[in-house]
Amino acid sequence: MTEVGIDAIEIRTGKLKLDLPGTFAPAQGEDPGKYTKGLGLNASSFPDTYEDIVTMGANAAHRLMEREGLEPEDIGRIDVATESSFDNSKPVSTYIAGCLEQVYDGKFSHANKGERKFACVAGTQSIDDAYNWIKAGRHRGRSALVIATDTALYARNDPGEATQGAGAVAMLISEDPDLASLSTEQGYGSADETDFLKPNQQFPAVDGKRSVKVYLARMREALQDFESVADRTHPDDFAYIPFHTPFPGMVRKAALFGYRHMIRDTSIEDELAEQIGRQPREEAFDEEEAYEEALTEYMDGLKETAAYREWYDRVIEPTLTIAREVGNWYTGSVHLARVSALKTAAEEGRELAGERLLVGSYGSGAQAEMHAETVQESWREKIEGMTLDEQLEERYDLSYEEYERVHDVHNHAIEIDGEIEELTAPDAEFVFDGWGRMGERKYRFAE
């Protein structure tokens, strides 16, 4: 059976950097440790005044196509996942295709284009759509271009402001992929929730405590559903487990719950029982409150064990290194986590071909999805060809006053007086170029 999966990947980060402990925390009058230790973040990526979800998505896609030697005729489908769209009718994929057609001789007139919305899980759903399109034999030998692009901005003085981020992840979905093949088995956890939403507004309304609970509940359901169609999972089954990462502190919670689930009724639980006892079983308690208290006590003990800490450092921590420096990218976050893990493995000289990843995607509203991926022989070449390190190093370091100004530029509700100052110079990239006759956004390629 022909494998289908991720053939190549490229990332485009916003060109500005907000230092959270050094710049944001002092301006807020807060302890820098709230960000570095609590949230697990060092910095946020931010878009310059000429950047937005189209330019970042188009620049990531352009870089990917150039690396892979692709022309428009090689692409049969362009799907964009975003929760930062500025048009309720015209999809972002058409804008991105229009940008790319400025630098290629061919057109994408033959390509199916669409836009996916389900909060942060939409990027994974777009990959699923491309996978199914290829498996159904409707691709005519062509590949799909999946782009997850977002400006994850919050209103000023909102508690979520420190988790902001901006960037795009472009992925080529093909037969016989060089990076990772996708499993046929998937697991879902879904419910009608109001943990995070944008009802006709740019910035999200968030119930922070509820959002964490919903995230964990849906992830647990998705893992259980995945196991119902695949094998029972075990901590040693996967080289890495990339989770959707709104901030690394949230993944710490998910990882602990996942590990507890995977060791249940295994020799690992038996061995740990001498230190912290066995896991509480709900059926052994008459009252839910007593069960929850016992479970909390067990989890507190579990996270301090050497077995868990070794597993976390090996399987989870490498997935978080990029997120710590760029913040939340919404639809792109779990795909950053995958790249982060593979990038760490490449830097450490680890051999991963044939190893498996367990990918946990999540979108508020709410739905989680679990699926497995198998790393392919050419994975290292694909990862080492990326330019992420250079992009991160070259970001412009914002002062707090500059951050306020740029945030206002990207706030759709604010009209900016006077000239909009650019903090970086465009360099062979797509840029926002003003407004058209019908209020549409216009773009050009700046040499």
Side-chain angles (χ1 to χ4, degrees):
M1 183 174 63
T2 302
E3 299 284 352
V4 174
I6 303 171
D7 196 42
I9 192 164
E10 188 56 69
I11 290 173
R12 181 73 175 205
T13 183
K15 297 178 76 172
L16 308 180
K17 170 188 173 182
L18 179 62
D19 184 319
L20 293 173
T23 301
F24 188 75
Q28 299 293 310
E30 293 180 325
D31 179 0
K34 171 183 176 181
Y35 305 102
T36 56
K37 296 178 181 178
L39 296 176
L41 294 169
N42 298 320
S44 297
S45 61
F46 218 79
D48 205 338
T49 57
Y50 56 83
E51 294 185 287
D52 64 10
I53 57 173
V54 171
T55 67
M56 293 184 295
N59 286 320
H62 184 212
R63 168 67 180 165
L64 185 151
M65 290 182 66
E66 290 294 286
R67 277 179 54 199
E68 297 298 312
L70 300 174
E71 297 289 335
E73 65 182 22
D74 300 313
I75 305 298
R77 184 183 183 100
I78 303 176
D79 286 308
V80 171
T82 185
E83 53 180 289
S84 310
S85 186
F86 45 75
D87 192 304
N88 291 325
S89 179
K90 180 178 167 65
V92 173
S93 56
T94 60
Y95 283 97
I96 289 178
C99 286
L100 294 172
E101 287 175 348
Q102 296 179 36
V103 296
Y104 289 103
D105 292 334
K107 301 291 185 181
F108 291 94
S109 56
H110 60 274
N112 187 14
K113 306 178 185 77
E115 184 175 307
R116 258 285 193 172
K117 181 183 77 174
F118 196 142
C120 303
V121 77
T124 296
Q125 290 181 325
S126 294
I127 292 175
D128 293 341
D129 290 342
Y131 176 96
N132 293 335
W133 171 72
I134 293 172
K135 281 290 189 179
R138 305 177 75 176
H139 62 303
R140 292 179 286 175
R142 293 183 169 118
S143 296
L145 191 57
V146 169
I147 302 164
T149 181
D150 272 299
T151 52
L153 306 185
Y154 289 75
R156 297 291 309 284
N157 300 314
D158 186 279
E161 193 176 5
T163 68
Q164 294 174 130
V169 181
M171 294 166 281
L172 189 70
I173 312 302
S174 307
E175 292 182 305
D176 298 318
D178 284 339
L179 188 65
S181 64
L182 305 179
S183 67
T184 56
E185 301 87 6
Q186 296 167 291
Y188 298 97
S190 188
D192 180 9
E193 300 282 3
T194 53
D195 55 320
F196 176 112
L197 62 163
K198 299 179 181 180
N200 294 318
Q201 62 196 45
Q202 179 187 2
F203 300 130
V206 186
D207 183 338
K209 290 184 178 180
R210 179 166 181 77
S211 186
V212 173
K213 291 181 179 179
V214 171
Y215 173 91
L216 295 174
R218 301 292 83 77
M219 283 290 192
R220 182 184 67 249
E221 292 169 354
L223 179 58
Q224 292 171 337
D225 192 46
F226 174 76
E227 290 180 330
S228 75
V229 292
D231 294 330
R232 168 76 189 272
T233 57
H234 186 277
D236 296 334
D237 288 345
F238 304 100
Y240 299 108
I241 302 180
F243 282 100
H244 167 58
T245 310
F247 55 90
M250 203 151 168
V251 173
R252 287 198 296 265
K253 296 178 183 292
L256 184 62
F257 275 80
Y259 185 79
R260 184 200 62 152
H261 174 84
M262 287 190 285
I263 68 170
R264 187 169 175 145
D265 296 322
T266 69
S267 60
I268 298 177
E269 183 187 13
D270 295 339
E271 293 166 6
L272 292 177
E274 297 179 8
Q275 303 175 48
I276 58 174
R278 296 184 64 79
Q279 293 187 33
R281 268 55 174 179
E282 189 171 6
E283 59 271 16
F285 293 83
D286 294 330
E287 297 180 0
E288 183 178 353
E289 184 177 350
Y291 167 68
E292 293 293 339
E293 289 179 0
L295 186 59
T296 298
E297 181 180 353
Y298 179 83
M299 298 283 276
D300 288 343
L302 180 62
K303 69 182 178 183
E304 299 301 329
T305 63
Y308 174 72
R309 295 171 71 89
E310 184 279 329
W311 176 84
Y312 181 91
D313 289 344
R314 174 172 50 86
V315 176
I316 305 297
E317 181 61 30
T319 72
L320 304 176
T321 56
I322 299 174
R324 295 189 192 284
E325 306 304 325
V326 302
N328 188 2
W329 284 14
Y330 287 164
T331 56
S333 289
V334 71
H335 308 296
L336 279 180
R338 179 198 292 107
V339 169
S340 182
L342 297 177
K343 185 172 178 294
T344 299
E347 292 168 350
E348 294 176 348
R350 183 172 176 181
E351 292 299 331
L352 278 187
E355 298 272 3
R356 292 201 302 160
L357 313 178
L358 181 64
V359 179
S361 302
Y362 172 78
S364 293
Q367 182 164 295
E369 184 206 303
M370 289 274 182
H371 70 262
E373 299 177 1
T374 302
V375 181
Q376 301 299 294
E377 291 289 340
S378 300
W379 71 275
R380 187 185 304 275
E381 175 188 343
K382 298 293 182 175
I383 293 299
E384 290 179 343
M386 297 173 60
T387 61
L388 178 61
D389 287 339
E390 292 87 341
Q391 291 183 55
L392 294 178
E393 182 65 28
E394 292 170 0
R395 286 180 300 175
Y396 178 91
D397 203 350
L398 291 164
S399 69
Y400 191 75
E401 292 73 22
E402 289 169 332
Y403 160 68
E404 291 182 303
R405 174 71 173 174
V406 172
H407 191 287
D408 286 348
V409 168
H410 292 288
N411 185 342
H412 301 166
I414 294 178
E415 291 189 15
I416 303 297
D417 295 327
E419 200 73 22
I420 298 176
E421 180 184 0
E422 298 174 352
L423 296 172
T424 62
D427 181 17
E429 62 189 284
F430 298 105
V431 299
F432 171 63
D433 194 35
W435 304 92
R437 65 182 180 85
M438 295 179 65
E440 76 275 17
R441 298 174 74 89
K442 297 172 64 179
Y443 300 91
R444 64 180 174 86
F445 189 75
E447 299 287 351

